[in-house]
Amino acid sequence: MSHIALCGAAAFLPIWISSIGLTSAYPPAQVESQRSITDRTVTWPTSGQWQRVLLLEDYNTRVVLLGTTLLGGAAGMVGSFTLLRKRALMGDALSHATLPGIGLAFIVATMVGGDGKSLPILLLGATLTGLAGMGAILLIRNLTRLKEDAALGAVLSVFFGAGVALLGVIQQMTQGHAAGLEAFIYGKTASMGATDAKLIAGAAVACIAVCLLFFKELKLLCFDEGFAGSRGLPVVRLDLVIMALVVVVTIVGLQAVGLILMIALLVIPAAAARFWTEKMWRMAIISAGLGAAGGMVGGGISALFSKLPSGAMIVLVCATFFVLSLVFGSARGVPLRLIRRMRLNRSINRQHLLRAIYESLESSNSVPNDKSPERRPITFDELLRRRSWSGGRLRREIRRARRDDLVEVHDEGVRLTTRGLEEASRLTRQHRLWELYLITYADIAPSQVDREADAIEHVLKPEIVAELESLLAAAITGVPASPHGLSSICGETNEAS
Amino acid sequence: MVVSIDSGAVLPSAKVAGGAVVEVPLSVYDLTVAYHRKPVIWDVSFDIPLGSLVGVVGPNGAGKSTLLKAVMDLVPRASGRISVFGQPYRQNRHRVGYVPQRESVDWDFPVDALDVVTMGLYSQIGWCMPVRKRHRQAAMEALNRVGIAELAHRQISQLSGGQQQRTFLARALVQEVDLYLMDEPFAAVDAATELAIVDILREMKQRGKTALVIHHDLQTVREYFDYVVLLNMRVVAHGPVAEIFTSENLQKTYGGRLTLLEEVTEAKRRRERSL
């Protein structure tokens, strides 16, 4: 499986677990916000509520869903770059490091008598500690010889721990009303207002625009940093652009998705998109599309069922896309790849079997021709000697060839059918042509030819065979003799015509 | 730039031959590069002549790749001067093409061979400008020159090692430059690719291009190159292959004993520890 897919799965599992586990670790965010867009009943929504959300009748619902949709799109787009740059987890460290900033911003704002829950102040605090966390990672990585993953793990947990401690302190404070800060941990669209949603939407559109504008340069950076540097691209500054995009997406996404799950929105759509295409621009677009769909559907579910945190819903919807992509992906979907490989293996095995029979016939000078059209059966043991296969595997291949009417099985052994003989001589001819080509044009010692020929001939197309024929003098019309002599029973090879 | 001979002030990187100024494609003077205080290359100085095929030969860890990266300002240098056609690298970047080591990138990346070759043109295309049809045509021609035009739309992990190497070569060719820096283009390629690369190198030479090629196979050095730089942290010898590529020099380059430099570094480290 591809590296990216593994990376996606690795990122996705702990998130799934944490989304289940953490609900008990933290008190559910019961925000008594006036701006809540839904009724707070635990029960199934009434038809009226369904209608309000699905038909986007409510202005606030409309704006909030637009915000989460664009956020998902932006995260998907930015995520495809960070994933390919192999920096996917930097976003995780960043988002966890925002928590102490949120706590500090609240404390400071309350102390000076301001509104502790003013969104710009909280997000400013989040940005500052988020950046400090990333700085700490870079510092640890550059000053010590610790690897990035160790630095990341240490910083992420320490900053998050500090944040949890600060929230504890805030609970004890007499001034200020701290309820609602937890919404930042796992997201709550219910606490979002139209202005917040507009901020998200604006930032998301800006991020997507930057990605599209510098698409070519960012792609080159992600693929080949050294070459990008040699062409004079400012590698460090472009990396900073990617990091800045991650910062912006993460910060504006805190409210809707929450800091624990934000990383999922940066990784899962991009990893899922990779299953569908081998083109970077398509991957970015598909990733943005999946992220947007996840944001819209997840946000919608959360708007209907107010007890379900929007972050978790968005992530679970995206995870569903990921699993579907893994199974059905048209470019690298896992079942599809397995089937393709199995087919190729089967056709290679069949070619080997038919060629082994043909070569056995050759070595006993009994290849059927016009004078003696009899097709001599080959014993099982002789075939077993020719191929380094187990008896079981040989029996299985013979059974398959028989099913396709290429061989008949008698008491004396395996006999080619007319069709089988045709196919066997065609394959042997193709194999020998390729070997001759390798010897004539690529200076390879004849004793090494067979294995290389084996590897390539199975994918020879008719055009290439034709080209080989014209290259290797038109003189060879039948099946040419093996250039390396067959290592077996009879040395003489047959002059086929 | 014209430099008169009688002025006596000949640029360090321009040599005068038969009254005409001949450009020196690459001149390295006193170059030292260190990672984590450990020197990787030390006081390296050499010039290479215009229109030559230069092999850089030395054992593993001799600093060959670092030398190329230092030339292109990709790694910080502790000291030394480098001039490319008489000027700092960043002023003559457009005249240099780089072929990195094949293992330096992730071939699972979602691009096809044509995309990779087109990347060679990105700096010409310019920031934020789209890739146009004529760029893709130029890239196609470069793929054709290395003989894999029919694989243009194949995802790069589906290419064989030799085909990947040819793709990288095509990316450098499409830039139409005068100096090529190649990091082990012959490493783990099939015989056909090796021949194709040699043909291209010779064709480049005929057109007056220069190539500096890191090479591992000592047996083919005489056949492929006309100039050689023997490197093992410092330059053991450099010059025309016929004169320099001797068994005595190779012994010095690959000799099993600690080099003088390593001995000095080791002694210094011991003293630091004892302090």
Side-chain angles (χ1 to χ4, degrees):
Chain A
M1 199 203 277
S2 76
H3 176 89
I4 289 170
L6 279 176
C7 179
F12 147 74
L13 281 175
I15 284 155
W16 187 294
I17 292 160
S18 64
S19 71
I20 296 162
L22 277 170
T23 34
S24 56
Y26 301 100
Q30 286 166 344
V31 186
E32 303 299 324
S33 168
Q34 299 304 307
R35 304 183 293 196
S36 170
I37 52 172
T38 56
D39 196 28
R40 267 183 300 284
T41 47
V42 202
T43 49
W44 193 252
T46 63
S47 59
Q49 287 163 343
W50 278 106
Q51 196 186 336
R52 259 166 60 204
V53 173
L54 291 184
L55 300 180
L56 299 174
E57 283 177 357
D58 186 18
Y59 171 73
N60 215 13
T61 314
R62 229 164 26 220
V63 182
V64 166
L65 285 189
L66 179 72
T68 54
T69 306
L70 285 170
L71 174 73
M77 179 78 81
V78 173
S80 56
F81 289 106
T82 52
L83 190 74
L84 291 172
R85 184 87 178 106
K86 313 233 173 357
R87 299 259 166 91
L89 287 177
M90 281 297 258
D92 200 25
L94 173 93
S95 61
H96 279 75
T98 56
L99 188 58
I102 293 168
L104 281 175
F106 178 83
I107 293 173
V108 171
T110 314
M111 291 290 193
V112 293
D115 175 15
K117 279 199 280 186
S118 140
L119 189 65
I121 294 175
L122 291 178
L123 291 190
L124 180 70
T127 312
L128 290 179
T129 53
L131 290 177
M134 299 232 311
I137 290 171
L138 293 178
L139 216 64
I140 292 175
R141 199 190 60 189
N142 292 344
L143 290 186
T144 71
R145 292 199 186 176
L146 284 175
K147 297 279 173 283
E148 191 156 308
D149 56 346
L152 216 124
V155 169
L156 183 151
S157 47
V158 168
F159 272 71
F160 188 67
V164 172
L166 277 172
L167 287 195
V169 171
I170 290 169
Q171 302 289 335
Q172 313 292 316
M173 279 169 55
T174 43
Q175 317 124 287
H177 186 56
L181 285 188
E182 297 94 338
F184 287 103
I185 295 176
Y186 39 75
K188 195 156 178 67
T189 36
S191 64
M192 276 166 61
T195 14
D196 306 343
K198 279 179 191 156
L199 170 78
I200 292 177
V205 169
C207 285
I208 292 174
V210 170
C211 284
L212 294 178
L213 205 58
F214 297 116
F215 193 86
K216 164 166 118 291
E217 286 76 17
L218 293 175
K219 173 169 128 186
L220 178 52
L221 171 75
C222 293
F223 175 60
D224 192 345
E225 183 184 351
F227 186 78
S230 83
R231 302 319 307 142
L233 280 187
V235 169
V236 176
R237 263 177 270 170
L238 279 175
D239 262 333
L240 285 178
V241 168
I242 296 184
M243 275 349 291
L245 290 170
V246 173
V247 170
V248 172
V249 168
T250 305
I251 297 294
V252 300
L254 283 181
Q255 250 187 320
V257 184
L259 57 91
I260 295 175
L261 298 183
M262 194 54 219
I263 183 64
L265 209 48
L266 283 166
V267 173
I268 297 178
R274 189 68 186 89
F275 288 110
W276 293 100
T277 177
E278 301 285 10
K279 283 283 208 178
M280 166 104 204
W281 60 271
R282 271 196 217 128
M283 174 183 163
I285 289 170
I286 293 173
S287 173
L290 291 178
M296 181 155 63
V297 177
I301 295 176
S302 170
L304 275 171
F305 304 89
S306 63
K307 283 283 163 68
L308 298 177
S310 52
M313 287 305 105
I314 291 174
V315 169
L316 290 180
V317 171
C318 286
T320 311
F321 293 155
F322 178 83
V323 173
L324 291 176
S325 305
L326 183 129
V327 176
F328 297 108
S330 55
R332 334 195 114 197
V334 173
L336 202 73
R337 267 153 76 117
L338 287 179
I339 290 170
R340 272 190 207 138
R341 191 179 310 157
M342 203 172 70
R343 277 207 191 128
L344 181 67
N345 280 343
R346 276 196 188 176
S347 94
I348 289 176
N349 284 340
R350 161 180 298 174
Q351 294 183 13
H352 281 155
L353 176 71
L354 291 180
R355 192 152 55 80
I357 299 177
Y358 192 88
E359 284 172 355
S360 297
L361 290 174
E362 274 185 338
S363 62
S364 59
N365 272 330
S366 52
V367 175
N369 52 33
D370 294 341
K371 281 175 224 152
S372 52
E374 194 218 347
R375 304 185 300 271
R376 186 177 73 83
I378 308 291
T379 62
F380 187 79
D381 287 340
E382 189 179 348
L383 286 178
L384 209 52
R385 270 201 303 278
R386 284 196 176 271
R387 300 248 46 115
S388 51
W389 286 352
S390 66
R393 185 167 168 204
L394 180 60
R395 245 171 259 126
R396 196 180 63 218
E397 294 310 327
I398 291 174
R399 212 164 45 235
R400 282 199 182 120
R402 194 177 155 194
R403 209 164 44 217
D404 295 334
D405 198 25
L406 293 167
V407 298
E408 309 160 346
V409 180
H410 300 273
D411 292 339
E412 319 89 279
V414 184
R415 204 170 76 166
L416 289 169
T417 61
T418 326
R419 205 164 80 82
L421 176 66
E422 242 169 65
E423 182 71 2
S425 67
R426 187 183 69 82
L427 288 172
T428 312
R429 173 183 155 76
Q430 190 171 304
H431 177 80
R432 303 263 166 89
L433 280 173
W434 181 250
E435 284 181 329
L436 275 177
Y437 172 76
L438 286 181
I439 293 177
T440 322
Y441 291 95
D443 256 355
I444 293 178
S447 62
Q448 299 196 341
V449 163
D450 199 35
R451 293 190 55 196
E452 286 198 33
D454 272 3
I456 304 169
E457 61 159 1
H458 302 297
V459 289
L460 285 187
K461 288 190 230 146
E463 313 91 86
I464 301 179
V465 175
E467 200 178 317
L468 286 178
E469 282 166 355
S470 65
L471 274 172
L472 292 163
I476 306 165
T477 45
V479 177
S482 174
H484 49 83
L486 295 169
S487 58
S488 66
I489 319 124
C490 298
E492 283 295 315
T493 51
N494 183 44
E495 283 289 319
S497 58
Chain B
M1 173 182 253
V2 181
V3 179
S4 92
I5 304 169
D6 10 30
S7 77
V10 178
L11 283 175
S13 55
K15 278 188 180 153
V16 180
V21 175
V22 179
E23 281 184 304
V24 175
L26 176 65
S27 162
V28 176
Y29 179 72
D30 246 2
L31 177 70
T32 298
V33 179
Y35 289 138
H36 289 292
R37 302 197 317 155
K38 190 170 156 249
V40 184
I41 46 183
W42 190 286
D43 277 356
V44 164
S45 302
F46 65 90
D47 288 353
I48 62 177
L50 190 69
S52 57
L53 301 179
V54 185
V56 179
V57 176
N60 286 330
K64 302 186 295 291
S65 295
T66 306
L67 172 67
L68 284 201
K69 286 183 181 153
V71 166
M72 293 175 293
D73 294 335
L74 295 180
V75 292
R77 40 180 199 260
S79 71
R81 258 203 330 267
I82 282 161
S83 76
V84 175
F85 295 107
Q87 275 167 332
Y89 174 75
R90 61 173 185 286
Q91 270 155 45
N92 270 333
R93 199 182 270 139
H94 58 282
R95 298 182 66 181
V96 181
Y98 176 39
V99 181
Q101 260 180 48
R102 188 152 52 86
E103 299 86 64
S104 65
V105 304
D106 174 12
W107 290 92
D108 221 20
F109 202 86
V111 287
D112 61 24
L114 190 68
D115 281 334
V116 173
V117 178
T118 316
M119 288 176 186
L121 295 169
Y122 280 5
S123 54
Q124 286 174 36
I125 296 169
W127 286 91
C128 311
M129 299 298 282
V131 175
R132 294 188 191 284
K133 203 174 166 197
R134 63 188 149 93
H135 301 126
R136 271 191 287 272
Q137 271 165 1
M140 205 60 178
E141 277 160 33
L143 276 175
N144 202 23
R145 271 178 76 188
V146 300
I148 54 166
E150 71 279 5
L151 304 175
H153 297 293
R154 194 174 284 188
Q155 200 269 328
I156 52 176
S157 66
Q158 312 281 316
L159 300 173
S160 74
Q163 290 160 350
Q164 292 175 346
Q165 192 63 59
R166 291 185 199 206
T167 308
F168 263 10
L169 192 61
R171 182 174 64 172
L173 287 176
V174 78
Q175 298 168 39
E176 294 293 339
V177 296
D178 300 313
L179 170 65
Y180 292 88
L181 304 175
M182 305 188 183
D183 200 342
E184 302 214 21
F186 295 109
V189 298
D190 53 287
T193 298
E194 180 146 352
L195 287 183
I197 297 177
V198 170
D199 280 347
I200 285 166
L201 283 175
R202 294 196 174 133
E203 187 199 322
M204 283 175 181
K205 183 180 157 70
Q206 270 171 11
R207 292 164 57 195
K209 315 281 188 190
T210 311
L212 184 74
V213 181
I214 294 180
H215 196 57
H216 250 315
D217 182 12
L218 296 179
Q219 300 191 339
T220 47
V221 169
R222 280 177 189 281
E223 188 189 338
Y224 294 168
F225 302 106
D226 32 44
Y227 202 89
V228 69
V229 177
L230 296 175
L231 189 76
N232 188 354
M233 290 177 110
R234 61 206 167 80
V235 171
V236 177
H238 69 102
V241 170
E243 293 166 30
I244 297 302
F245 199 67
T246 61
S247 56
E248 191 195 342
N249 277 338
L250 282 176
Q251 188 64 41
K252 278 193 217 158
T253 315
Y254 285 86
R257 274 182 336 113
L258 282 178
T259 60
L260 180 65
L261 177 65
E262 281 170 324
E263 282 172 29
V264 172
T265 324
E266 195 52 39
K268 195 167 144 243
R269 188 173 299 153
R270 253 179 270 133
R271 212 184 59 201
E272 272 178 14
R273 264 190 216 137
S274 64
L275 284 178

